[in-house]
Amino acid sequence: MATVTFHGACGCVTGSCTELAWSGRRLLVDCGLYQGDEALEQRNWRPFPFLPREITAVVITHAHLDHTGLLPRLVQQGFSGPIFCTRPSRALISLVLQDAATLQEEQARFAARAGYSRHGQPEALYRVEDARRTLRHLQTLPFDEEHEIFPGIAVRFRRAGHLLGAATVEIAAKDSGGERKTWCFSGDVGRFGVPILRDPEPPIATPAALVLESTYGDRLHLPENTKERLAATIEKTFARGGSVILPAFSLGRSQELLYHLTDLADEGRLAPDSVFLDSPMAIEATDIYDRAESEHDEELIRRIDAGDDPFGPGRFVRCRTVSQSKALNVRTEPAVIVAGSGMANGGRVVHHLAQRLGDPRNTVIFAG
Protein backbone atom coordinates (compact mmCIF):
# COMPACT_ATOMS: atom_id res chain seq x y z
CA MET A 1 0.00 0.00 0.00
CA ALA A 2 1.33 3.43 -0.94
CA THR A 3 1.48 6.28 1.53
CA VAL A 4 1.48 9.96 0.56
CA THR A 5 2.82 12.42 3.14
CA PHE A 6 2.81 16.19 2.73
CA HIS A 7 5.94 17.77 4.19
CA GLY A 8 5.49 21.29 2.79
CA ALA A 9 3.08 23.77 1.17
CA CYS A 10 0.49 22.97 3.83
CA GLY A 11 -1.39 26.06 5.00
CA CYS A 12 0.82 28.16 2.73
CA VAL A 13 1.82 28.18 -0.93
CA THR A 14 5.60 27.64 -0.68
CA GLY A 15 7.90 24.85 0.44
CA SER A 16 6.35 22.15 -1.78
CA CYS A 17 7.53 18.68 -0.74
CA THR A 18 5.47 15.49 -0.98
CA GLU A 19 6.63 11.97 -0.14
CA LEU A 20 5.35 8.84 -1.89
CA ALA A 21 6.39 5.65 -0.11
CA TRP A 22 5.73 1.99 -0.90
CA SER A 23 7.57 -1.33 -1.00
CA GLY A 24 10.65 0.09 0.67
CA ARG A 25 11.02 2.97 -1.79
CA ARG A 26 10.63 6.59 -0.70
CA LEU A 27 10.35 9.27 -3.39
CA LEU A 28 10.02 13.01 -2.93
CA VAL A 29 8.08 15.06 -5.41
CA ASP A 30 9.78 18.48 -5.14
CA CYS A 31 11.81 19.85 -2.25
CA GLY A 32 11.04 23.54 -2.12
CA LEU A 33 12.12 26.58 -0.16
CA TYR A 34 9.71 28.42 2.12
CA GLN A 35 9.41 32.03 0.99
CA GLY A 36 7.58 34.91 2.65
CA ASP A 37 7.71 36.42 6.11
CA GLU A 38 10.32 35.59 8.74
CA ALA A 39 8.20 32.89 10.37
CA LEU A 40 7.85 31.05 7.07
CA GLU A 41 11.51 31.39 6.17
CA GLN A 42 12.54 30.01 9.57
CA ARG A 43 10.98 26.71 8.52
CA ASN A 44 13.85 26.27 6.08
CA TRP A 45 16.19 25.76 9.05
CA ARG A 46 14.15 23.01 10.64
CA PRO A 47 15.36 19.41 10.38
CA PHE A 48 13.66 17.47 7.60
CA PRO A 49 10.79 15.30 8.93
CA PHE A 50 12.57 12.30 7.40
CA LEU A 51 16.17 11.16 7.10
CA PRO A 52 17.52 12.49 3.79
CA ARG A 53 19.76 9.45 3.35
CA GLU A 54 16.65 7.22 3.33
CA ILE A 55 15.06 9.00 0.37
CA THR A 56 15.47 6.89 -2.78
CA ALA A 57 15.02 9.66 -5.36
CA VAL A 58 13.53 13.10 -5.96
CA VAL A 59 11.27 14.01 -8.88
CA ILE A 60 11.01 17.73 -9.71
CA THR A 61 7.92 19.29 -11.29
CA HIS A 62 9.57 22.62 -12.20
CA ALA A 63 12.44 24.96 -11.41
CA HIS A 64 10.88 27.63 -9.18
CA LEU A 65 12.56 27.93 -5.79
CA ASP A 66 9.44 27.01 -3.83
CA HIS A 67 9.73 23.60 -5.52
CA THR A 68 13.54 23.16 -5.72
CA GLY A 69 15.13 25.54 -3.21
CA LEU A 70 15.84 23.02 -0.43
CA LEU A 71 17.53 20.45 -2.67
CA PRO A 72 21.05 21.64 -1.70
CA ARG A 73 20.14 21.28 1.98
CA LEU A 74 18.82 17.79 1.28
CA VAL A 75 22.11 16.81 -0.35
CA GLN A 76 24.06 18.60 2.37
CA GLN A 77 22.35 16.39 4.96
CA GLY A 78 22.92 13.02 3.34
CA PHE A 79 20.72 12.48 0.29
CA SER A 80 22.72 10.67 -2.40
CA GLY A 81 20.14 9.48 -4.94
CA PRO A 82 19.11 10.78 -8.36
CA ILE A 83 17.04 13.93 -8.93
CA PHE A 84 14.85 13.60 -12.01
CA CYS A 85 13.62 16.60 -14.01
CA THR A 86 12.67 17.47 -17.57
CA ARG A 87 15.40 18.47 -19.97
CA PRO A 88 14.26 22.11 -20.28
CA SER A 89 14.14 22.40 -16.46
CA ARG A 90 17.78 21.51 -15.93
CA ALA A 91 19.24 24.82 -17.09
CA LEU A 92 16.73 26.81 -15.01
CA ILE A 93 17.35 24.67 -11.91
CA SER A 94 21.09 25.27 -12.27
CA LEU A 95 20.46 29.01 -12.57
CA VAL A 96 18.12 29.37 -9.59
CA LEU A 97 20.00 27.11 -7.15
CA GLN A 98 23.38 28.74 -7.71
CA ASP A 99 21.81 32.19 -7.47
CA ALA A 100 19.97 31.24 -4.26
CA ALA A 101 23.17 29.88 -2.73
CA THR A 102 25.06 33.05 -3.65
CA LEU A 103 22.35 35.16 -1.97
CA GLN A 104 22.45 32.93 1.12
CA GLU A 105 26.20 33.47 1.44
CA GLU A 106 25.90 37.23 0.85
CA GLN A 107 23.16 37.54 3.47
CA ALA A 108 25.25 35.63 6.01
CA ARG A 109 28.27 37.89 5.39
CA PHE A 110 26.13 41.02 5.64
CA ALA A 111 24.52 39.82 8.89
CA ALA A 112 27.98 39.24 10.34
CA ARG A 113 29.18 42.72 9.33
CA ALA A 114 26.02 44.52 10.46
CA GLY A 115 25.76 42.55 13.69
CA TYR A 116 21.98 42.05 13.46
CA SER A 117 21.99 38.25 13.57
CA ARG A 118 21.04 36.46 16.79
CA HIS A 119 23.95 34.10 16.05
CA GLY A 120 27.56 34.99 16.78
CA GLN A 121 28.70 33.59 13.44
CA PRO A 122 25.81 33.71 10.94
CA GLU A 123 25.85 30.87 8.42
CA ALA A 124 24.23 30.43 5.03
CA LEU A 125 21.39 27.95 4.75
CA TYR A 126 23.59 26.34 2.10
CA ARG A 127 26.57 27.38 0.03
CA VAL A 128 27.39 27.58 -3.67
CA GLU A 129 29.37 24.36 -3.40
CA ASP A 130 26.28 22.62 -1.98
CA ALA A 131 24.26 23.85 -4.99
CA ARG A 132 26.89 22.66 -7.45
CA ARG A 133 27.09 19.28 -5.74
CA THR A 134 23.29 19.04 -6.02
CA LEU A 135 23.40 19.68 -9.77
CA ARG A 136 25.54 16.56 -10.19
CA HIS A 137 22.53 14.52 -9.01
CA LEU A 138 20.25 15.82 -11.79
CA GLN A 139 19.08 13.33 -14.39
CA THR A 140 16.85 14.52 -17.23
CA LEU A 141 13.94 12.68 -18.82
CA PRO A 142 11.99 13.66 -21.96
CA PHE A 143 8.33 14.58 -21.90
CA ASP A 144 5.63 11.99 -22.62
CA GLU A 145 7.85 8.88 -22.40
CA GLU A 146 7.56 6.48 -19.47
CA HIS A 147 10.96 5.63 -17.98
CA GLU A 148 11.71 2.97 -15.40
CA ILE A 149 13.85 4.74 -12.82
CA PHE A 150 14.10 1.69 -10.53
CA PRO A 151 12.94 -1.90 -11.10
CA GLY A 152 9.14 -1.78 -11.24
CA ILE A 153 8.92 2.00 -10.77
CA ALA A 154 8.28 4.28 -13.76
CA VAL A 155 8.02 8.04 -14.18
CA ARG A 156 6.47 10.07 -16.99
CA PHE A 157 6.47 13.85 -17.39
CA ARG A 158 3.63 15.72 -19.12
CA ARG A 159 3.74 19.42 -19.95
CA ALA A 160 2.07 21.63 -17.35
CA GLY A 161 2.49 25.08 -18.94
CA HIS A 162 3.28 27.49 -16.06
CA LEU A 163 7.06 27.66 -16.69
CA LEU A 164 9.62 26.39 -19.17
CA GLY A 165 10.08 22.68 -18.43
CA ALA A 166 7.20 22.51 -15.94
CA ALA A 167 5.61 19.09 -15.72
CA THR A 168 2.82 17.05 -14.26
CA VAL A 169 4.38 13.84 -12.90
CA GLU A 170 2.97 10.34 -13.29
CA ILE A 171 4.59 7.74 -11.03
CA ALA A 172 3.59 4.12 -11.68
CA ALA A 173 4.37 1.01 -9.64
CA LYS A 174 2.79 -2.21 -8.43
CA ASP A 175 1.04 -2.20 -5.09
CA SER A 176 1.32 -4.96 -2.48
CA GLY A 177 -1.33 -6.99 -4.35
CA GLY A 178 0.66 -6.88 -7.59
CA GLU A 179 -1.68 -4.42 -9.31
CA ARG A 180 -0.01 -1.61 -11.26
CA LYS A 181 -1.19 1.81 -10.13
CA THR A 182 -0.35 5.38 -11.10
CA TRP A 183 -0.11 8.40 -8.83
CA CYS A 184 -0.30 11.79 -10.53
CA PHE A 185 1.23 14.97 -9.06
CA SER A 186 0.15 18.12 -10.86
CA GLY A 187 2.86 20.57 -9.83
CA ASP A 188 1.83 24.13 -10.75
CA VAL A 189 -0.51 24.04 -13.75
CA GLY A 190 -0.39 26.94 -16.20
CA ARG A 191 -3.30 28.57 -17.99
CA PHE A 192 -4.39 27.72 -21.52
CA GLY A 193 -3.75 30.16 -24.34
CA VAL A 194 -0.86 31.91 -22.60
CA PRO A 195 1.84 32.96 -25.07
CA ILE A 196 5.33 31.47 -25.26
CA LEU A 197 4.80 27.90 -24.03
CA ARG A 198 2.72 24.96 -25.17
CA ASP A 199 -0.57 24.42 -23.33
CA PRO A 200 -0.90 22.07 -20.33
CA GLU A 201 -1.48 18.42 -21.19
CA PRO A 202 -3.62 15.88 -19.31
CA PRO A 203 -2.12 12.69 -17.85
CA ILE A 204 -1.87 9.73 -20.20
CA ALA A 205 -2.61 7.10 -17.57
CA THR A 206 -5.75 7.15 -15.44
CA PRO A 207 -4.34 7.80 -11.95
CA ALA A 208 -5.39 5.91 -8.86
CA ALA A 209 -4.78 9.17 -6.99
CA LEU A 210 -4.37 12.78 -8.11
CA VAL A 211 -2.42 15.23 -5.96
CA LEU A 212 -3.41 18.64 -7.26
CA GLU A 213 -1.87 22.02 -6.46
CA SER A 214 -4.64 24.46 -5.58
CA THR A 215 -3.12 27.92 -5.11
CA TYR A 216 -5.81 29.45 -7.33
CA GLY A 217 -8.38 26.71 -6.84
CA ASP A 218 -10.90 29.04 -5.23
CA ARG A 219 -11.26 31.56 -8.02
CA LEU A 220 -11.89 32.00 -11.73
CA HIS A 221 -9.53 34.02 -13.89
CA LEU A 222 -11.49 36.73 -15.64
CA PRO A 223 -11.13 36.80 -19.43
CA GLU A 224 -9.22 39.91 -20.44
CA ASN A 225 -6.80 41.17 -23.02
CA THR A 226 -3.56 41.29 -21.04
CA LYS A 227 -1.65 43.25 -23.65
CA GLU A 228 -4.30 45.95 -23.97
CA ARG A 229 -4.65 46.35 -20.21
CA LEU A 230 -0.87 46.69 -19.91
CA ALA A 231 -0.79 49.14 -22.82
CA ALA A 232 -3.50 51.35 -21.34
CA THR A 233 -1.64 51.59 -18.03
CA ILE A 234 1.68 52.40 -19.68
CA GLU A 235 0.15 55.02 -21.97
CA LYS A 236 -1.68 56.71 -19.10
CA THR A 237 1.47 56.78 -16.98
CA PHE A 238 3.70 58.07 -19.79
CA ALA A 239 1.16 60.81 -20.59
CA ARG A 240 1.65 62.29 -17.13
CA GLY A 241 5.43 61.97 -17.35
CA GLY A 242 5.76 58.96 -15.07
CA SER A 243 7.42 55.56 -15.26
CA VAL A 244 6.03 52.05 -14.82
CA ILE A 245 7.72 49.69 -12.36
CA LEU A 246 7.00 45.99 -12.88
CA PRO A 247 8.21 43.72 -10.05
CA ALA A 248 8.49 40.38 -11.85
CA PHE A 249 9.71 36.88 -11.14
CA SER A 250 12.82 36.22 -13.19
CA LEU A 251 11.51 32.87 -14.41
CA GLY A 252 8.27 32.90 -16.38
CA ARG A 253 6.66 36.22 -15.53
CA SER A 254 9.47 38.36 -16.97
CA GLN A 255 9.35 36.44 -20.25
CA GLU A 256 5.57 36.82 -20.56
CA LEU A 257 5.90 40.57 -19.98
CA LEU A 258 8.65 40.85 -22.58
CA TYR A 259 6.38 39.10 -25.07
CA HIS A 260 3.57 41.61 -24.57
CA LEU A 261 5.95 44.58 -24.51
CA THR A 262 7.39 43.37 -27.82
CA ASP A 263 3.90 43.48 -29.33
CA LEU A 264 3.49 47.09 -28.19
CA ALA A 265 6.90 48.04 -29.58
CA ASP A 266 6.14 46.36 -32.93
CA GLU A 267 2.86 48.29 -33.11
CA GLY A 268 4.68 51.58 -32.55
CA ARG A 269 2.98 52.17 -29.20
CA LEU A 270 6.14 51.89 -27.11
CA ALA A 271 9.71 52.97 -27.83
CA PRO A 272 12.05 49.96 -27.40
CA ASP A 273 14.73 52.12 -25.76
CA SER A 274 12.28 53.05 -22.97
CA VAL A 275 11.98 49.43 -21.76
CA PHE A 276 14.57 48.07 -19.32
CA LEU A 277 15.01 44.49 -18.13
CA ASP A 278 16.87 45.05 -14.87
CA SER A 279 17.61 41.54 -13.62
CA PRO A 280 20.71 39.45 -14.45
CA MET A 281 18.79 36.27 -13.65
CA ALA A 282 15.84 37.25 -15.85
CA ILE A 283 18.27 38.03 -18.67
CA GLU A 284 19.85 34.57 -18.37
CA ALA A 285 16.44 32.92 -18.09
CA THR A 286 15.26 34.77 -21.20
CA ASP A 287 18.22 33.39 -23.15
CA ILE A 288 17.34 29.88 -21.89
CA TYR A 289 13.73 30.36 -23.03
CA ASP A 290 14.96 31.55 -26.42
CA ARG A 291 17.05 28.39 -26.93
CA ALA A 292 14.27 25.99 -25.87
CA GLU A 293 12.75 25.73 -29.33
CA SER A 294 10.97 22.42 -28.66
CA GLU A 295 8.85 24.09 -25.96
CA HIS A 296 7.76 27.17 -27.93
CA ASP A 297 4.09 27.39 -28.83
CA GLU A 298 3.01 27.85 -32.45
CA GLU A 299 2.58 31.62 -32.14
CA LEU A 300 6.09 32.13 -30.81
CA ILE A 301 7.55 29.84 -33.49
CA ARG A 302 5.85 31.89 -36.21
CA ARG A 303 7.21 35.12 -34.79
CA ILE A 304 10.77 33.86 -34.52
CA ASP A 305 10.63 32.40 -38.04
CA ALA A 306 9.49 35.82 -39.26
CA GLY A 307 12.53 37.45 -37.64
CA ASP A 308 10.55 38.93 -34.76
CA ASP A 309 12.08 37.23 -31.71
CA PRO A 310 10.74 38.79 -28.47
CA PHE A 311 13.64 37.21 -26.55
CA GLY A 312 16.44 38.23 -28.89
CA PRO A 313 19.42 40.01 -27.29
CA GLY A 314 18.70 43.22 -29.21
CA ARG A 315 15.24 43.56 -27.69
CA PHE A 316 14.97 46.42 -25.21
CA VAL A 317 17.73 47.48 -22.80
CA ARG A 318 19.28 44.81 -20.59
CA CYS A 319 20.81 45.96 -17.32
CA ARG A 320 23.35 43.40 -16.19
CA THR A 321 25.55 45.49 -13.91
CA VAL A 322 24.78 47.37 -10.71
CA SER A 323 25.92 50.63 -12.32
CA GLN A 324 23.45 50.15 -15.19
CA SER A 325 20.67 49.58 -12.66
CA LYS A 326 21.62 52.65 -10.62
CA ALA A 327 21.65 54.77 -13.77
CA LEU A 328 17.90 54.20 -14.09
CA ASN A 329 17.35 56.09 -10.84
CA VAL A 330 18.58 59.32 -12.37
CA ARG A 331 16.62 58.88 -15.58
CA THR A 332 13.96 61.57 -15.97
CA GLU A 333 12.25 60.33 -19.14
CA PRO A 334 9.33 57.86 -18.81
CA ALA A 335 10.41 54.23 -18.71
CA VAL A 336 9.11 50.71 -18.21
CA ILE A 337 11.36 48.91 -15.72
CA VAL A 338 10.98 45.14 -15.33
CA ALA A 339 12.97 44.07 -12.26
CA GLY A 340 13.11 41.34 -9.62
CA SER A 341 11.89 40.26 -7.27
CA GLY A 342 8.28 39.52 -8.08
CA MET A 343 7.17 39.94 -4.48
CA ALA A 344 9.14 43.19 -4.15
CA ASN A 345 10.71 41.84 -0.96
CA GLY A 346 14.27 41.99 -2.29
CA GLY A 347 16.36 42.51 -5.39
CA ARG A 348 16.82 45.55 -7.60
CA VAL A 349 13.15 46.47 -7.72
CA VAL A 350 13.33 47.57 -4.08
CA HIS A 351 15.66 50.43 -5.03
CA HIS A 352 13.42 51.51 -7.91
CA LEU A 353 10.40 51.53 -5.60
CA ALA A 354 12.28 53.55 -2.97
CA GLN A 355 13.29 56.04 -5.65
CA ARG A 356 9.90 56.43 -7.34
CA LEU A 357 7.03 55.59 -4.99
CA GLY A 358 6.91 59.16 -3.69
CA ASP A 359 6.07 60.53 -7.14
CA PRO A 360 2.34 60.18 -7.96
CA ARG A 361 3.09 60.22 -11.70
CA ASN A 362 4.58 56.75 -11.46
CA THR A 363 2.75 53.40 -11.51
CA VAL A 364 3.60 50.01 -9.98
CA ILE A 365 2.10 46.95 -11.66
CA PHE A 366 2.05 43.59 -9.87
CA ALA A 367 1.59 41.22 -12.79
CA GLY A 368 0.26 37.84 -11.77
Side-chain angles (χ1 to χ4, degrees):
M1 178 178 174
T3 302
V4 175
T5 306
F6 301 97
H7 296 302
C10 301
C12 63
V13 296
T14 63
S16 292
C17 183
T18 305
E19 180 184 345
L20 178 62
W22 76 99
S23 301
R25 301 283 190 183
R26 301 175 67 184
L27 269 65
L28 293 184
V29 178
D30 294 332
C31 189
L33 194 74
Y34 285 98
Q35 297 172 290
D37 59 26
E38 184 178 357
L40 267 180
E41 293 187 353
Q42 281 301 311
R43 296 189 191 184
N44 296 317
W45 293 89
R46 294 178 183 173
F48 287 105
F50 48 79
L51 293 176
R53 67 174 180 271
E54 294 181 355
I55 299 298
T56 309
V58 182
V59 183
I60 296 298
T61 61
H62 66 283
H64 277 144
L65 270 180
D66 61 327
H67 289 256
T68 63
L70 281 186
L71 286 172
R73 192 159 173 81
L74 190 74
V75 171
Q76 182 191 72
Q77 297 189 11
F79 171 75
S80 59
I83 301 171
F84 297 99
C85 65
T86 66
R87 287 171 181 166
S89 286
R90 184 187 179 102
L92 292 181
I93 292 172
S94 175
L95 178 64
V96 300
L97 290 187
Q98 293 188 84
D99 180 77
T102 299
L103 289 175
Q104 295 282 350
E105 291 187 11
E106 289 176 354
Q107 288 170 357
R109 287 194 294 268
F110 181 76
R113 289 198 307 270
Y116 66 76
S117 173
R118 64 173 66 95
H119 306 288
Q121 292 185 317
E123 294 185 0
L125 184 66
Y126 50 80
R127 307 182 68 81
V128 172
E129 179 52 40
D130 296 314
R132 289 175 178 164
R133 190 163 63 250
T134 301
L135 298 178
R136 294 195 283 270
H137 291 259
L138 291 181
Q139 295 186 26
T140 62
L141 300 175
F143 282 110
D144 303 330
E145 298 177 13
E146 190 174 79
H147 285 263
E148 192 172 65
I149 59 172
F150 298 108
I153 302 173
V155 169
R156 176 164 48 211
F157 289 121
R158 295 282 283 165
R159 289 177 180 83
H162 181 63
L163 179 72
L164 178 67
T168 291
V169 179
E170 299 174 40
I171 301 175
K174 290 183 178 180
D175 63 14
S176 56
E179 182 182 357
R180 193 174 193 267
K181 291 187 176 180
T182 299
W183 295 267
C184 182
F185 298 83
S186 74
D188 289 354
V189 181
R191 296 170 64 178
F192 289 88
V194 174
I196 303 173
L197 298 176
R198 295 159 66 172
D199 283 343
E201 302 165 333
I204 292 177
T206 301
L210 172 63
V211 180
L212 183 67
E213 296 264 356
S214 58
T215 306
Y216 300 106
D218 63 345
R219 74 196 71 178
L220 295 175
H221 292 290
L222 297 176
E224 64 178 356
N225 188 317
T226 302
K227 183 189 77 174
E228 288 304 320
R229 188 173 180 191
L230 180 64
T233 304
I234 292 173
E235 289 166 0
K236 185 177 180 180
T237 304
F238 277 26
R240 60 176 182 251
S243 291
V244 174
I245 311 299
L246 280 152
F249 297 108
S250 297
L251 276 60
R253 190 69 68 206
S254 289
Q255 288 72 42
E256 286 186 39
L257 288 168
L258 289 176
Y259 186 92
H260 292 306
L261 292 169
T262 295
D263 269 351
L264 299 180
D266 288 347
E267 294 168 5
R269 301 164 70 183
L270 183 64
D273 60 1
S274 68
V275 179
F276 299 84
L277 180 58
D278 187 18
S279 167
M281 181 186 282
I283 292 169
E284 289 189 53
T286 300
D287 290 338
I288 292 171
Y289 265 73
D290 203 22
R291 294 194 297 267
E293 297 177 3
S294 65
E295 301 308 305
H296 295 166
D297 67 3
E298 292 181 2
E299 186 178 352
L300 180 57
I301 291 171
R302 284 196 299 269
R303 293 186 69 153
I304 293 175
D305 288 346
D308 183 29
D309 185 355
F311 303 142
R315 280 288 184 187
F316 308 128
V317 183
R318 298 186 174 192
C319 301
R320 294 182 181 274
T321 66
V322 173
S323 60
Q324 288 173 317
S325 179
K326 287 182 176 179
L328 294 178
N329 288 331
V330 297
R331 178 186 172 91
T332 57
E333 302 88 354
V336 175
I337 301 172
V338 181
S341 69
M343 293 183 184
N345 62 340
R348 293 184 177 181
V349 76
V350 172
H351 303 288
H352 297 306
L353 293 174
Q355 181 74 17
R356 298 176 185 269
L357 276 178
D359 187 340
R361 297 176 300 171
N362 297 323
T363 299
V364 181
I365 300 175
F366 287 94

